[in-house]
Amino acid sequence: MVYSFALADGLFTGIESDYSFQSNLKVKYNNAGDTGIIKYKKAQAGIGLKAGYDFDRYRVYSSYIYDFQASKDMSYDPDYTVKWLTHKFILGADYIPSITDNFKLAVGPYGGYSRLKVKINDITGYSDKDSKNG
C-alpha cells in the first residue's frame, strides 16, 4: 500500500499500486484454417483503491485495481496490434502482528474477481474485442 488514511479507530482507506513484470496473455486465432495460440509477454502497471477495518492484530479489506492498457504487435503479423487491460476486485483478511511501533507484518489469504478486456486492431482499421472473467 503506497498511502493509507485512518478515518476512525480501525477504519482505513488507501491507494495501492501493482506492477506485473510479465503479463502472460494467450490469444487463440483461426485464420483461413490456420489455427494456433500466440503468447504475449509485456510488463503492465496498475493503480487501485483499498478500504477495510483494522482489528489491531487482524484486518479485513476490499480493493479495486485497474491495470493500465498494454499493447504489443502480433508476432506472426506486425500489421495487427493487441491491446489489453484488467479490472480486479479483491477481498482479503490478514494477520498483522506489530514488528515495531509503526511497522506491521501482513500474512493472510485473499481472493477475488478479474475482468480482462482485449482488443485487436489492424492497419486497415478493422478491430475486434473480447473480454474474459476470472
Side-chain angles (χ1 to χ4, degrees):
M1 184 179 301
V2 176
Y3 169 79
S4 72
F5 178 74
L7 296 173
D9 188 26
L11 274 170
F12 67 88
T13 63
I15 298 171
E16 60 184 343
S17 63
D18 74 343
Y19 187 81
S20 300
F21 291 98
Q22 286 188 358
S23 295
N24 197 3
L25 179 66
K26 297 176 185 174
V27 176
K28 294 179 184 179
Y29 69 90
N30 184 353
N31 187 5
D34 183 23
T35 61
I37 296 175
I38 304 169
K39 296 178 183 176
Y40 296 97
K41 294 182 180 178
K42 186 160 184 176
Q44 187 176 19
I47 190 166
L49 301 173
K50 184 182 250 185
Y53 194 86
D54 189 336
F55 297 98
D56 190 35
R57 298 201 76 153
Y58 299 92
R59 72 176 176 187
V60 292
Y61 63 89
S62 64
S63 66
Y64 165 74
I65 301 171
Y66 173 79
D67 285 336
F68 297 109
Q69 180 173 285
S71 66
K72 195 161 187 179
D73 291 339
M74 286 188 165
S75 56
Y76 73 93
D77 191 344
D79 292 343
Y80 288 88
T81 302
V82 177
K83 297 179 181 181
W84 65 94
L85 59 88
T86 310
H87 300 274
K88 299 175 192 170
F89 301 91
I90 299 171
L91 295 173
D94 292 332
Y95 170 63
I96 50 171
S98 293
I99 305 292
T100 66
D101 288 341
N102 295 318
F103 189 74
K104 292 183 176 185
L105 174 68
V107 178
Y110 65 92
Y113 164 82
S114 65
R115 183 162 181 86
L116 171 69
K117 293 185 176 185
V118 179
K119 186 174 183 181
I120 299 174
N121 299 314
D122 73 1
I123 59 173
T124 66
Y126 167 80
S127 69
D128 190 14
K129 53 184 154 179
D130 195 9
S131 60
K132 295 289 180 189
N133 300 323

